[in-house]
Amino acid sequence: MREELPAIGKEHTLDDGRFGVIDIGSNSVRFVVFDSAMRSPAYFFNEKVYCGLGDEIETTGKLSPDGKERALNTLKRFATLSKALHVSKLETVATAAMRDASDGDDFAKQIKRETGLPVKIITGEQEGRYAAFGVLLGDKRSEGLVVDIGGASMELAVLRKGKVVKSTTTPLGPLRLAATGKSGDSLAQYVSNTISKNLPGKDAVEDVYLVGGGWRAFATVAMQRADYPLAVLHGFEITVAQARDTAEWMLTTDEDLSDYGISKLRAKNAPWTAHVLLALLEVIQPETFRISSCGLREGVLYNNFKPDMRSADPLTQSAEIMEKMYARFPGFGVELAKWMAPTLPNIPERLGLAAALLSDVNWRVHPDYRANACFTTATQSSFLGLTHPERMMLAVALSYRYKGAKAAISKMESVNILDEDALRRAEAMGRIIRLGAMLSGATPALLHQCPLERSDSKLTLTIPVELGSLLTETVERRLKSAAQSLGLESRIAIGDE
């Protein structure tokens, strides 16, 4: 039986059609449209409007009148757009501001009357579970504590073996923290005590998954201060030392944090986020922090997946779709992955499959730029289910699919994410992919007839007599290069030799 939150309106199975989520938060209202039921969702439309619904909730207990007007106008626009965008399924959720405001229920009814949108005001526990579902959508291997910070609240949830064990909510969003009037040691103690009292599990936590715009802003600043070479937030890992250094710097610097590529609102709220981060370090003592760009909205999508969709791999699914759209012979990637897998025991199967599926998607690029284009495909496509080192291994392998790879890669600072061993393994995978594509013309019909085998000392390519015409000096050179990258000798066998 699949784990799920209570359905918001009609339960959807996402067999087809676009799926939309409207998220009514304390600061902003966002509308996201996912293009069909993909395990690695394609963002067909994404718009956020600052409305400030929760700006006055701590002083009046009610939603901001100006915020309500802005939110209502925004929701009317989104309701109209959802029809124009042919959204077949749409869910509207509201979080802390409408949950806690005395007029939240009345505003939900007003929204329904004036826009036709049924609003589900979710509990804090539900919000935490949706955030955790979003982390699972981003990478189903995720295990640890999910921390989702919004404008007025912060949710905590524990992931174990693909399940949300428990979730709780705390009043630790920037709006609520500012309203406490606390500062210094008093604020630090308050935040630490609140986290300690609301932890959904007492087990040791190795990894903490940070979800929400406040954490993404924190990570953006940390990346820039460290001159991190890869501008991809999802999967970015922040060490304990780096997290502490960034948080302490945010609390003492006179610099304008918006100069680091975050919005004025995020820059204003950043010190509050830094206080929470330092408290997390004290209370939880994790080994690392991981940024997830997938959160509540992706969690709503995930909640509607069938079990087989939840178990699918977002990386290989995206790669398969790209192959169908751009490769010369869709289906070649699967054959290539089977053909090369026995020679690459130190490459994760799913990473090898993704590389094979993407191996021919840049064939239309000018030959002199294909290696660069392949690197760009891996580093700039919105793939999920990847750590940054895995993403970089994919980039290097795809680049070695074409000529000029070594020169192209030498100019890419982001390669420094990989250690020497990972770099060598990625190069070997790329050279074997190049051999397979050259030998078969990137068609799926020939590779399985020409097995590639690895022994302790040799990389052997066997070509049947009837396909002997496939053997050329170029094939021999490619085989030799692949073998050398593995520290082996190359060998050609004809027929049963």
Side-chain angles (χ1 to χ4, degrees):
M1 178 179 292
R2 68 173 177 145
E3 179 186 19
E4 62 183 315
L5 295 173
I8 301 175
K10 180 181 177 182
E11 182 178 355
H12 304 306
T13 57
L14 284 189
D15 291 324
D16 52 37
R18 294 183 185 129
F19 183 79
V21 180
I22 296 176
D23 173 11
I24 305 174
S26 301
N27 288 319
S28 60
V29 178
R30 186 187 289 268
F31 178 33
V32 175
V33 178
F34 302 102
D35 189 23
S36 76
M38 288 178 60
R39 181 60 178 76
S40 182
Y43 293 83
F44 190 78
F45 180 85
N46 192 342
E47 181 177 328
K48 179 179 72 173
V49 178
Y50 173 77
C51 296
L53 270 177
D55 285 354
E56 300 177 15
I57 196 168
E58 291 304 310
T59 55
T60 68
K62 295 183 177 182
L63 299 171
S64 161
D66 290 342
K68 288 167 68 175
E69 182 178 357
R70 287 192 292 267
L72 195 57
N73 290 335
T74 298
L75 290 166
K76 289 177 180 177
R77 166 178 165 78
F78 289 168
T80 300
L81 281 175
S82 70
K83 297 175 183 177
L85 292 167
H86 303 293
V87 175
S88 60
K89 304 174 183 72
L90 177 64
E91 295 191 0
T92 303
V93 298
T95 54
M98 288 184 63
R99 177 168 69 235
D100 297 337
S102 61
D103 57 345
D105 288 334
D106 289 339
F107 187 49
K109 293 175 183 176
Q110 182 183 0
I111 292 171
K112 180 66 166 64
R113 286 195 307 271
E114 298 191 27
T115 69
L117 296 171
V119 179
K120 175 71 175 182
I121 302 176
I122 59 176
T123 67
E125 180 182 358
Q126 288 175 327
E127 187 175 354
R129 293 172 72 82
Y130 276 127
F133 278 175
V135 171
L136 285 175
L137 184 142
D139 195 327
K140 65 180 182 179
R141 301 171 294 180
S142 302
E143 287 201 10
L145 181 69
V146 175
V147 182
D148 178 14
I149 198 164
S153 67
M154 185 179 80
E155 282 63 48
L156 303 167
V158 174
L159 284 173
R160 290 282 182 260
K161 298 180 179 179
K163 300 290 185 181
V164 183
V165 177
K166 189 178 180 182
S167 69
T168 59
T169 187
T170 71
L172 295 182
L175 294 174
R176 293 272 173 77
L177 287 175
T180 66
K182 298 179 183 295
S183 62
D185 292 341
S186 175
L187 176 63
Q189 192 63 50
Y190 168 74
V191 175
S192 294
N193 288 343
T194 303
I195 292 173
S196 296
K197 292 176 182 178
N198 289 278
L199 276 178
K202 302 302 181 183
D203 297 337
V205 173
E206 294 181 358
D207 295 327
V208 174
Y209 295 85
L210 301 178
V211 175
W215 294 128
R216 291 195 296 273
F218 183 91
T220 298
V221 173
M223 277 181 165
Q224 294 209 20
R225 293 187 70 233
D227 290 325
Y228 190 73
L230 185 61
V232 177
L233 284 172
H234 186 76
F236 176 53
E237 296 184 11
I238 309 177
T239 66
V240 168
Q242 185 181 16
R244 186 183 302 280
D245 176 70
T246 302
E248 291 176 346
W249 174 82
M250 280 183 169
L251 294 175
T252 57
T253 185
D254 293 327
E255 291 189 50
D256 183 350
L257 295 183
S258 64
D259 291 340
Y260 285 78
I262 62 178
S263 70
K264 292 288 186 181
L265 178 62
R266 299 295 186 203
K268 176 184 176 182
N269 289 336
W272 301 111
T273 307
H275 277 298
V276 174
L277 191 284
L278 290 173
L280 286 169
L281 281 170
E282 176 188 344
V283 175
I284 300 171
Q285 299 180 348
E287 292 189 3
T288 189
F289 292 97
R290 300 176 186 271
I291 298 297
S292 174
S293 62
C294 300
L296 182 143
R297 292 171 292 275
E298 289 78 11
V300 173
L301 175 67
Y302 184 89
N303 188 54
N304 285 273
F305 282 162
K306 293 179 178 178
D308 61 339
M309 182 65 76
R310 291 189 179 191
S311 63
D313 183 358
L315 171 62
T316 55
Q317 186 186 75
S318 286
E320 182 180 13
I321 289 170
M322 289 184 69
E323 185 196 43
K324 288 179 180 177
M325 293 175 64
Y326 303 119
R328 288 172 292 177
F329 296 99
F332 172 68
V334 170
E335 292 301 317
L336 176 61
K338 293 177 183 177
W339 181 77
M340 70 178 184
T343 69
L344 298 167
N346 294 323
I347 297 290
E349 182 180 347
R350 60 190 294 272
L351 194 63
L353 175 57
L357 290 166
L358 295 169
S359 64
D360 200 46
V361 300
N362 287 302
W363 67 275
R364 289 183 181 273
V365 175
H366 188 283
D368 293 341
Y369 294 95
R370 285 176 185 163
N372 294 78
C374 287
F375 199 93
T376 299
T377 294
T379 55
Q380 297 185 18
S381 296
S382 56
F383 295 133
L384 299 177
L386 277 173
T387 65
H388 279 197
E390 288 172 335
R391 184 182 287 270
M392 196 52 52
M393 285 188 70
L394 185 63
V396 170
L398 291 176
S399 294
Y400 272 103
R401 157 75 169 88
Y402 292 109
K403 69 176 183 178
K406 183 164 288 189
I409 291 170
S410 68
K411 300 174 184 178
M412 307 295 185
E413 291 185 7
S414 52
V415 173
N416 295 329
I417 291 172
L418 295 179
D419 59 32
E420 286 299 320
D421 177 65
L423 186 60
R424 283 194 298 270
R425 287 186 286 127
E427 177 182 344
M429 177 163 58
R431 291 193 182 280
I432 290 175
I433 287 173
R434 191 177 191 198
L435 168 65
M438 171 63 195
L439 176 67
S440 65
T443 64
L446 297 173
L447 276 182
H448 69 279
Q449 301 180 64
C450 303
L452 186 67
E453 297 173 307
R454 176 178 179 170
S455 66
D456 291 340
S457 60
K458 290 184 174 61
L459 184 67
T460 300
L461 175 65
T462 300
I463 298 179
V465 174
E466 62 272 20
L467 293 179
S469 59
L470 293 178
L471 181 59
T472 63
E473 290 183 3
T474 303
V475 170
E476 291 184 20
R477 285 199 307 272
R478 300 278 165 82
L479 176 62
K480 184 176 181 179
S481 294
Q484 288 175 340
S485 68
L486 293 169
L488 304 173
E489 296 179 8
S490 62
R491 176 175 176 265
I492 297 285
I494 300 298
D496 297 327
E497 290 182 15

